Amino acid sequence: MSVLRNFTADSSRPPIIQSGPVRVDVVSTLDEFVAVMTLRARVFQNEQDCPYEEEFDGNDLSGATHLLARRNGEPVGTMRLRWFADFAKSERFAVVPEGRATQIAFALIEAACLVSARKGYRKILGHAQKRVAPFWIRRGGGYLRQDRPSFFFSDHEYVEIIREIEPPANHLNLDSPPLELCRPEGDWDREGVLERSAKRAA
């Protein structure tokens, strides 16, 4: 039984990805953030015996974007994205054991690409455990970075994988409308609260 059985989602917000029963959203509420932390604790601390301070590394609230996958409303996967000058970095990719042979992982990868491309990025860097790198290359559409050696942390060997993406014509940039840049992360196509406030007299 899932520890997240009574989790509820904001169904009024359009998802980044909706593929059958799987929906991926950008995390925007404390409830969703708790679901992300619970999923990561379940996968990394329970299954991989990762120490708390290594899993919760100080980067969760420092400009990171979290993605949350749900299947039939139940939280089943997550990924963290961090933003650097000319690349996005995917991290903390976790899917519940019973969801690993399904479309959940692929939906999270595609959502990460869509969010990153909309923000104008052309490359996503991922650190993948060497044993699962073939999955990332095959299903994630990335390629192994050959010019750098593997490395170790938290008792696992990692390699770097890069996925190239193409920003859409409406990617966010310096010429985007000012209030479009103020909209909630991942919800850039709907009028935001500040646009509604602009309709009041100054």
Side-chain angles (χ1 to χ4, degrees), residues 45-143:
Q45 290 183 279
N46 266 0
E47 291 183 48
Q48 297 183 18
D49 203 25
C50 181
Y52 179 88
E53 68 178 5
E54 293 175 17
E55 174 53 34
F56 301 105
D57 60 352
N59 285 316
D60 288 315
L61 301 176
S62 57
T65 298
H66 299 270
L67 302 177
L68 178 62
R70 301 176 188 89
R71 182 174 52 198
N72 297 320
E74 181 82 6
V76 290
T78 185
M79 180 189 290
R80 180 174 79 189
L81 292 166
R82 288 199 299 136
W83 312 105
F84 295 85
D86 59 354
F87 66 96
K89 185 169 182 288
S90 66
E91 305 173 324
R92 301 305 192 264
F93 182 78
V95 175
V96 296
E98 61 272 22
R100 289 182 191 152
T102 69
Q103 67 202 47
I104 296 165
F106 181 71
L108 278 164
I109 292 167
E110 289 308 303
C113 291
L114 288 171
V115 171
S116 300
R118 185 65 185 272
K119 293 182 80 151
Y121 288 90
R122 295 181 176 274
K123 290 187 179 184
I124 301 177
L125 171 68
H127 293 164
Q129 288 184 18
K130 190 172 183 178
R131 65 182 178 81
V132 295
F135 166 81
W136 277 92
I137 293 166
R138 184 178 67 253
R139 293 293 306 275
Y143 59 88

